[in-house]
Amino acid sequence: MARVTVDEAIGRYGDEAGPKRAAIVRRFVEEQGWHESASRALAAHMRDLEGRGMKPGTVDQVYRTVRAFYRRLGLQPPRVSGHHYDPMDSSRPALDQGLIRQMIAAATAGRIVPQHAGYLVLSTVYGMRATEMASVRGADVDLSRERFHVRTAKGGRERWMWLPPQAAAYLPGHWPIASESHVEASFGRIWDIVLEADRPRGVAWHSVRRALVRDLREQGVDATDVERFLRWASGGSRRMVQLYERPNEIVSATGERETVTIPEGTREADAAVWDRHPYLHLFA
């Protein structure tokens, strides 16, 4: 494949998957060259990134993004033998309820521009990802039938969902075409309006998505219903609910992040198992 064709392919990939993912692929190609069979090149790239001190979760994102790019091209995705990443080791910050309340209060008081307030509605009500919010168009908001259409990312099923009137009241009347980076930046704008403290690294819209899952589960909503509501793709989605409902960092209304530790020897340490243990109830 000619270099110009690779550049064009990366550009198209960026249009679909977002500029951040396109930048990951472009950096890989610039540093390792173009290879239709790229397993060795990807392994070398990952070793270089690890040598520079990149966190395991970020290295894994590079691995998955490059593989996804190759699949988009119809090529065999590169594979690095022995690569394994446990999401439990990742940084998984979630906002606490107090901070989310402050953000919503700022929106209802008119302190946030309509477009950004709309993103806040979609994030807090539906748990939408930034890339999903960037794809919203005017036709997705059906006020007459009280419904909202979600173009779900990451292989999840697109669906219409109920649009509560109190949420609809804070959606903008017009949805201009927006990039994923613009949507991501809007979170920072809202943060700066609500808090004087600096925003911790890695805290973004996904921190609201995790909070929503956590709080739905704390309210007793069944994991299967949360899985459907958050529109995860089938296969491994139950695992995602378990991962999201137990964030390992909580960001408070002061802007501080607190590490969540679950002590060994407690029920919470293996809660996912205890919740569904097949034999324990027989001892009742």
Side-chain angles (χ1 to χ4, degrees), residues 142-215:
D142 187 349
L143 295 176
S144 63
R145 300 173 68 178
E146 291 189 348
R147 63 178 189 166
F148 175 74
H149 184 248
V150 183
R151 295 182 181 86
T152 306
K154 297 189 175 182
R157 185 172 65 86
E158 294 188 18
R159 57 176 300 209
W160 284 96
M161 301 181 73
W162 179 53
L163 177 59
Q166 62 267 44
Y170 293 96
L171 295 181
H174 174 62
W175 290 93
I177 295 176
S179 65
E180 183 178 348
S181 59
H182 170 80
V183 176
E184 289 285 13
S186 69
F187 182 89
R189 302 289 189 274
I190 296 172
W191 178 281
D192 291 341
I193 289 171
V194 173
L195 296 176
E196 295 182 0
D198 292 337
R199 177 162 57 107
R201 183 178 179 84
V203 174
W205 286 120
H206 230 73
S207 303
V208 180
R209 183 175 170 89
R210 292 189 190 95
L212 178 60
V213 174
R214 175 200 65 205
D215 295 339

Side-chain angles (χ1 to χ4, degrees), residues 11 27 48-49 65 85 104 109 123 151 153 166 213 242 274:
R27 182 179 181 184
D48 288 345
L49 297 178
T65 301
Y85 174 66
I104 293 175
S123 179
R151 295 182 181 86
Q166 62 267 44
V213 174
Q242 294 173 355
W274 294 125

